[in-house]
Amino acid sequence: MSSAAEHPGRGRSIALRLTLFYALFFGIVTSGGGILLYHLVRSHIIEEIDQDLLRQQQEIAHIIASGDIRALAAELASTANEGGSSDYFARILAADGRVELGSDLRAWRVALPGIPLGGLRPGELVYADVALPDARRQARVLTGATESGRVVQVGLSLSDSMAFLRHFEHYGLLILFFMLSLGTLAGWALARKAMAGVESVTRAAERIADGHFSDRVKVAGEGSEIDHLVSTFNRMAEHVQNVMAEMRQVNDHIAHDLRSPLTRIRGLAESAAIHAAPGSDGAELAGSIVEECDRLAQMINTMLEIAEAEAGVQRLALAPVRADELVRQAVDLFAGMAEDRGIALSCSIASPERLNGDRRRLQRALANLIDNALKYTPDGGRVEVSLSRNGDRVEIAVRDSGPGIPPEELPNLFDRFYRGDRSRHLPGNGLGLSLARAVAHAHGGDIRVESGIGAGSTFTLSLPAPAG
Ligand code: ADP
């Protein structure tokens, strides 16, 4: 039976949260590692460039110190080609800032950074990053003063290094994306695996809550916490099943034992009614006792019938049954009652299905559903009984235009003696749906209900279609 069972917190399921956690964890670790690696690589490159610049600067300073200006000019010419190199430059400035000698700077097209020449002490070195007019390019420039007061400035373009770092960023982002996807997938798979055990316990608990007390969960045998939960759950289910069986047995015994005294009381009341003066108080009282005894006997018989049906398939008188005939006969049986109340009772048969079942019990179950539909639908309403096939199930649905059932009543509807608050003024004993469900279960089927206040109710008897 599937009532409007609620699943609190399913939207924020643990599996989803674990998946998000893994994805976040992988994302943070990967981007943290990536950023750290990027900075390490970048500072390593700058360090290499700085050392290169320092070597060049020292070489030039050395030549200046030796006073060999021609060698210096040759050195500059060798490091920067004719027409200017865009990779490297060097120049020598006098103490007043005038350029004394320098490599061809045409390719650089840059105003080199202002150097506080006055403030530079001999031997002091200043590194600076310079943006070139071509916005994407940068240069690293080293400025140093020699003992003679001259300033030697060497620079190296960073465009190759920057291109390398851009590649690094590009691939880094790709790897981050890959790791995030991997983290999400791995997280999802791990969370699903971890939660599979919990889900099977939940499913079994739901089935037990629906009345399938013999359901158990398979123990995986891994000795995990889930295994422990499963075996504890199974023990609990076993206990509940035993208690329920004992309670039922006691109920059945009581019902059984009540039959004989009740028959005797009825017999006595009947003979009192016969012997009392017609129309006297005694005759009326005896008549009422007979009526009450009949009601009680009917209730006891229904209880015993439920007990029989709950004992399972072995007690059924199974035979091929034509479901369309079953439905037509049941509708015919109630046609008169429906007409009296001005209720349009109709029957719709999609296909003439066959069943393997206990005809008498199935008739009884269907009659209970139609009886309820008529009982709870106000005069002038509609009741439709339909037969259809749904996969491997034959389904008989009884739909009414009645007042509907409040959602909070749905979980208890099939319990023995349960009667809805709003139905107490109508005749009944709260056993009709219990019997219908017990019959459905004995046949390997079930009953489900869809209902809402003001929307009518549909009770669907779903039975397995015979194989072949
Ligand atoms: P009874 O009809 O004797 O009270 P049942 O076991 O047949 O007992 O039904 C249990 C309760 O389910 C009813 O008391 C009623 O509240 C509710 N019910 C059953 N069928 C319908 C229906 N078709 N429309 C509205 N309520 C229904």
Side-chain angles (χ1 to χ4, degrees):
M1 201 263 314
S2 72
S3 62
E6 282 175 30
H7 304 285
R10 199 161 255 194
R12 293 168 277 118
S13 82
I14 297 179
L16 181 72
R17 276 185 279 176
L18 272 177
T19 307
L20 288 179
F21 172 78
Y22 279 119
L24 201 70
F25 178 77
F26 266 67
I28 290 175
V29 168
T30 312
S31 35
I35 290 170
L36 189 70
L37 191 63
Y38 178 86
H39 281 287
L40 282 176
V41 170
R42 191 177 194 284
S43 55
H44 179 73
I45 290 174
I46 298 290
E47 209 172 288
E48 293 264 292
I49 289 174
D50 286 355
Q51 278 175 8
D52 211 13
L53 287 173
L54 185 62
R55 260 197 313 278
Q56 299 285 350
Q57 200 267 357
Q58 282 174 345
E59 212 170 296
I60 293 172
H62 185 72
I63 299 174
I64 292 173
S66 72
D68 189 350
I69 292 299
R70 269 211 281 151
L72 186 58
E75 167 73 21
L76 293 184
S78 78
T79 49
N81 304 329
E82 235 357 63
S85 154
S86 58
D87 286 345
Y88 174 78
F89 81 88
R91 58 184 190 166
I92 293 107
L93 299 103
D96 58 4
R98 186 173 41 82
V99 178
E100 284 189 342
L101 202 60
S103 58
D104 195 336
L105 277 173
R106 269 175 290 166
W108 286 74
R109 290 182 287 120
V110 60
L112 289 168
I115 313 152
L117 292 179
L120 264 183
R121 288 186 305 280
E124 193 186 346
L125 298 168
V126 177
Y127 287 97
D129 286 332
V130 178
L132 299 182
D134 170 0
R136 283 168 297 129
R137 291 173 62 215
Q138 264 193 320
R140 183 89 173 147
V141 175
L142 169 61
T143 309
T146 62
E147 294 298 333
S148 62
R150 283 192 173 104
V151 171
V152 176
Q153 197 172 46
V154 286
L156 204 57
S157 158
L158 292 177
S159 45
D160 284 352
S161 313
M162 288 302 143
F164 171 75
L165 286 174
R166 268 199 302 280
H167 270 98
F168 192 93
E169 276 169 26
H170 182 74
Y171 286 113
L173 281 177
L174 271 182
I175 290 173
L176 177 66
F177 176 74
F178 176 73
M179 292 301 275
L180 262 179
S181 316
L182 193 75
T184 311
L185 271 178
W188 186 77
L190 283 174
R192 295 284 311 160
K193 189 168 166 13
M195 296 314 295
V198 178
E199 271 168 23
S200 52
V201 175
T202 310
R203 272 197 302 276
E206 278 171 355
R207 284 187 54 78
I208 288 176
D210 282 350
H212 302 266
F213 293 103
S214 58
D215 259 36
R216 298 288 178 275
V217 188
K218 215 167 141 252
V219 184
E222 292 165 356
S224 65
E225 291 88 338
I226 298 285
D227 270 2
H228 188 60
L229 169 71
V230 167
S231 47
T232 311
F233 174 83
N234 283 344
R235 268 214 324 274
M236 186 198 73
E238 181 91 39
H239 187 64
V240 170
Q241 189 185 10
N242 290 341
V243 170
M244 292 298 293
E246 275 168 29
M247 267 173 54
R248 292 215 163 131
Q249 235 170 14
V250 170
N251 270 349
D252 299 344
H253 285 155
I254 292 174
H256 199 265
D257 292 351
L258 278 178
R259 270 217 292 210
S260 319
L262 194 66
T263 317
R264 276 201 302 276
I265 295 171
R266 191 186 186 284
L268 291 174
E270 218 170 16
S271 81
I274 292 167
H275 293 113
S280 67
D281 283 355
E284 210 171 295
L285 186 69
S288 299
I289 293 174
V290 171
E291 255 174 49
E292 289 303 318
C293 282
D294 285 345
R295 262 176 24 90
L296 216 57
Q298 195 192 357
M299 197 152 100
I300 289 171
N301 286 339
T302 311
M303 278 175 73
L304 291 172
E305 257 186 280
I306 296 174
E308 278 266 314
E310 279 176 350
V313 71
Q314 64 273 20
R315 300 272 181 92
L316 299 179
L318 291 178
V321 176
R322 281 193 46 186
D324 52 326
E325 261 180 32
L326 194 80
V327 169
R328 276 203 190 93
Q329 280 170 1
V331 170
D332 286 349
L333 192 71
F334 286 94
M337 190 200 280
E339 203 179 317
D340 289 349
R341 305 244 337 264
I343 294 175
L345 174 62
S346 63
C347 162
S348 125
I349 291 173
S351 53
E353 299 293 342
R354 287 177 182 283
L355 286 168
N356 193 27
D358 184 325
R359 171 182 277 274
R360 191 182 59 79
R361 287 198 164 95
L362 288 174
Q363 262 170 344
R364 187 75 203 275
L366 184 55
N368 281 354
L369 298 183
I370 302 177
D371 186 44
N372 275 351
L374 291 173
K375 184 161 66 174
Y376 297 112
T377 300
D379 292 0
R382 265 177 299 107
V383 171
E384 188 192 352
V385 186
S386 58
L387 169 69
S388 61
R389 179 71 174 251
N390 182 4
D392 60 351
R393 304 259 134 181
V394 172
E395 296 200 329
I396 303 172
V398 180
R399 175 175 297 118
D400 65 52
S401 63
I405 301 162
E408 66 277 9
E409 287 189 2
L410 290 175
N412 305 319
L413 222 53
F414 293 82
D415 293 348
R416 285 189 213 196
F417 298 111
Y418 180 82
R419 304 208 67 205
D421 275 345
R422 303 184 317 168
S423 324
R424 293 188 201 282
H425 64 284
L426 291 165
N429 51 27
L431 289 174
L433 288 180
S434 311
L435 176 62
R437 184 168 78 164
V439 170
H441 283 179
H443 282 81
D446 210 344
I447 295 192
R448 58 176 193 274
V449 54
E450 285 139 60
S451 188
I453 299 279
S457 312
T458 305
F459 285 83
T460 306
L461 177 61
S462 170
L463 298 163

